Amino acid sequence: MRGAMIYAPGDVRFETVDDAKILHPTDAVIRTAVTCVCGSDLWPYRGAEPIGDPHPMGHEYVGFVERVGSEVTSLRPGQFVVGSFATSDDTCANCQNGFQSSCLHREFMSTCQAEYVRIPNAEGTLVATDGVPDETFWPGLLAVSDVMGTGWWAAEAAEVKPGSTAVVVGDGAVGLCGVIAAKEMGAERIIAMSRHEPRQKLAREFGATDIVTERGDEGVARIKEMTAGIGADSVLECVGTSEAMRQALQSARPGGNVGFVGVPHEVAIDGQELFFSHVGLRGGPAPVRRYLPDLIGRVLSGRIEPGRVFDLTLPLEQVAEGYRAMDERRAIKALLKP
Amino acid sequence: MRGAMIYAPGDVRFETVDDAKILHPTDAVIRTAVTCVCGSDLWPYRGAEPIGDPHPMGHEYVGFVERVGSEVTSLRPGQFVVGSFATSDDTCANCQNGFQSSCLHREFMSTCQAEYVRIPNAEGTLVATDGVPDETFWPGLLAVSDVMGTGWWAAEAAEVKPGSTAVVVGDGAVGLCGVIAAKEMGAERIIAMSRHEPRQKLAREFGATDIVTERGDEGVARIKEMTAGIGADSVLECVGTSEAMRQALQSARPGGNVGFVGVPHEVAIDGQELFFSHVGLRGGPAPVRRYLPDLIGRVLSGRIEPGRVFDLTLPLEQVAEGYRAMDERRAIKALLKP
């Protein structure tokens, strides 16, 4: 089969790779329907994370069950399935607590920009849809497998409540999905921080009521001005840099909450600053598995359209161009079709 | 009048100080009924915080209204009042949100180890009891003004819920009050981390179900053992050091919460560690004012006895001995009587 491999910063190749196989009786192999490039894939692509030996890439997927291991009884070949970037058995104590992305048997998916994908703990990880959804829904369901689930988690971790004010730091696909989530959770005012006109437009269409273009201290000052001087109830930090984290923490009001979902890169939080801010802080890899049934329903009913974050569609074999387009910010997010 | 002044590490003196006066029409002056020495007073006493010029000390108090400013109409001389270590107007946006210790007009009290005390924003800060309580309740009400309110906040910030498991890091007066709070909030299992026999005993009497004497990595391992390998639902961090914070964060389960109430001293939190822990973190100066009516009621009904953290009672003029006894861990907390 063929799939994407990263060799070095800026060097992603589509080539023949090891076939996806059943390695454990709890595995499934799926035939990829659509996959995509994630903002977090850009960290190694930009040289901001070590790459080591050449390795496969990709952790977002929807597809058709191709075959299952001997212990998999609730899935059958031909079913259309949505998963998460983190596998889960859905039975351990952390899964039972709703934190499937901290499953005691978690593996992070990393081979999904390929024609076929092995899914560990398939029964716990995958959710099958009722029949095969119309192809127009595939991008939305693909978004649910990561960016929409992550935006939802950002809003949940930031404790967005009906009638509240939410700020979204980051206008990538996750930030834009965070806007959708804040809207669905009933935020009355949703302030998207963005400097890019096409992303501002999409943010507004997803439910943002205000756009703030300032960053850093100026961005914080602007948020304070808009929130009676005290800051927002909820801030969704969807970037993962020190600057974004500082901006998020300072934009939240005392008693407010920051949900942070960008994997932090060299971010240190000063204990005393956090203390006197009175801000609650929670982050981590999104427990997407918990949200799947609900979010799949919202997509298939047409209530939310997170698939709109894909503004570039390419054949899977042009995966390298997908990376380039996102790196150069020519695309928000690139969809790949095998 | 007379009060405590700190001159240098280890050098607290009881001497003639400036009289407490009405400086603003919203002030009151109270005659101190009882005051005390706080664990946080030991930071400068031990040289761990700069002292600068000699200055008064103390931020815990209950007392009798002596006189009020011209704009104070809801308080009258002779009333017995309980306040907070942080003043509040109880009307600003942060106060309305229940975070009175982030009041836009907040001042931190700092002159309370004295015969009389000026209280800024008296109407917002003070709560008068129904008549003068029996003297046996004064220590409990004094605890409410800081350590009991802070323990309550630690449990609230750690989101202690009925049936949950709570760990308390720190066996000072705040940690012990945190045990009371966790019990009142319905925690089923309360694990106090303590190596000091008299404090272990008090923790058990306050509701601790288990005592863990190990610290650091060993302490974390012990907590994991006791919690099905995943960690506790809620951890109350009542110390304020890097070691205590690390221990607290690592003792909480994914999806659990750490409430931190020790003022952090050179504590830096690694963003990536916090991220992958899935632990929620919130701290800050306790919004004691919000809790006052409720906690005063619990003390006066005899339901809770936080006054038992005072295991040393001295005349106010022996305040220096109170510091020494606490510094040398001969006392958990020293009560001072003018």
Side-chain angles (χ1 to χ4, degrees), chain A residues 167 176 206 268:
Chain A
V167 169
L176 292 165
F206 280 165

Side-chain angles (χ1 to χ4, degrees), chain B residues 179-197:
Chain B
V179 171
I180 296 177
K183 167 98 174 164
E184 290 291 294
M185 292 181 191
E188 192 174 293
R189 195 167 189 189
I190 302 172
I191 306 169
M193 306 197 80
S194 171
R195 296 186 159 182
H196 302 84
E197 203 276 326

Side-chain angles (χ1 to χ4, degrees), chain B residues 221-233:
Chain B
R222 190 78 194 88
I223 297 296
K224 290 276 174 76
E225 258 177 55
M226 300 170 78
T227 53
I230 61 170
D233 302 309

Side-chain angles (χ1 to χ4, degrees), chain A residues 92-158:
Chain A
C92 79
N94 289 331
C95 286
Q96 292 298 304
N97 284 327
F99 284 80
Q100 287 92 338
S101 44
S102 274
C103 173
L104 295 174
H105 298 104
R106 175 187 67 193
E107 295 179 43
F108 285 116
M109 296 298 294
S110 61
T111 64
C112 302
Q113 289 158 3
E115 291 168 329
Y116 295 87
V117 183
R118 181 179 80 90
I119 313 286
N121 268 319
E123 287 199 344
T125 302
L126 299 174
V127 171
T129 56
D130 233 1
V132 176
D134 188 86
E135 204 167 329
T136 55
F137 290 116
W138 293 4
L141 296 172
L142 178 62
V144 161
S145 83
D146 184 351
V147 288
M148 185 63 235
T150 298
W152 197 267
W153 163 237
E156 181 185 290

Side-chain angles (χ1 to χ4, degrees), chain B residues 153-322:
Chain B
W153 162 236
E156 180 185 291
E159 299 188 15
V160 173
K161 298 207 165 56
S164 66
T165 294
V167 168
V168 181
V169 178
D171 62 1
V174 170
L176 292 165
C177 288
V179 171
I180 296 177
K183 167 98 174 164
E184 290 291 294
M185 292 181 191
E188 192 174 293
R189 195 167 189 189
I190 302 172
I191 306 169
M193 306 197 80
S194 171
R195 296 186 159 182
H196 302 84
E197 203 276 326
R199 296 172 188 221
Q200 293 172 354
K201 188 163 173 288
L202 196 50
R204 282 203 185 271
E205 289 169 15
F206 281 165
T209 54
D210 302 86
I211 303 287
V212 165
T213 54
E214 293 89 343
R215 285 187 189 168
D217 290 345
E218 285 176 15
V220 171
R222 190 78 194 88
I223 297 296
K224 290 276 174 76
E225 258 177 55
M226 300 170 78
T227 53
I230 61 170
D233 302 309
S234 296
V235 182
L236 290 63
E237 198 288 273
C238 305
V239 180
T241 60
S242 280
E243 196 202 355
M245 177 64 92
R246 201 167 42 242
Q247 190 173 312
L249 287 172
Q250 294 179 358
S251 297
R253 69 165 171 84
N257 291 279
V258 169
F260 70 111
V261 297
V263 182
H265 283 72
E266 296 178 19
V267 172
I269 299 147
D270 181 84
Q272 199 151 340
E273 270 180 46
L274 185 64
F275 183 85
F276 286 103
S277 76
H278 265 141
V279 171
L281 181 60
R282 187 196 298 280
V288 171
R289 176 62 186 83
R290 170 154 53 99
Y291 307 139
L292 283 180
D294 175 50
L295 291 180
I296 289 171
R298 290 180 200 246
V299 167
L300 293 179
S301 70
R303 184 174 168 85
I304 61 174
E305 297 182 293
R308 294 180 62 201
V309 298
F310 296 105
D311 56 350
L312 176 66
T313 298
L314 296 168
L316 177 57
E317 62 192 27
Q318 289 180 36
V319 55
E321 168 56 16

Side-chain angles (χ1 to χ4, degrees), chain A residues 189-275:
Chain A
R189 195 166 189 192
I190 302 171
I191 306 170
M193 307 197 79
S194 171
R195 296 185 159 181
H196 301 85
E197 202 275 327
R199 297 173 186 221
Q200 293 173 355
K201 188 163 172 289
L202 196 50
R204 282 204 186 272
E205 289 169 16
F206 280 165
T209 54
D210 302 86
I211 303 288
V212 165
T213 55
E214 292 89 342
R215 287 188 188 167
D217 290 346
E218 286 177 13
V220 171
R222 190 78 194 86
I223 297 296
K224 290 277 174 75
E225 257 178 54
M226 298 168 80
T227 53
I230 60 169
D233 302 308
S234 296
V235 182
L236 289 64
E237 198 287 273
C238 304
V239 181
T241 61
S242 280
E243 195 201 356
M245 178 64 92
R246 199 167 44 243
Q247 189 172 313
L249 287 172
Q250 294 180 357
S251 297
R253 67 165 173 83
N257 291 279
V258 169
F260 70 113
V261 296
V263 182
H265 284 71
E266 296 177 19
V267 172
I269 300 147
D270 182 84
Q272 198 151 343
E273 270 181 44
L274 185 65
F275 184 85

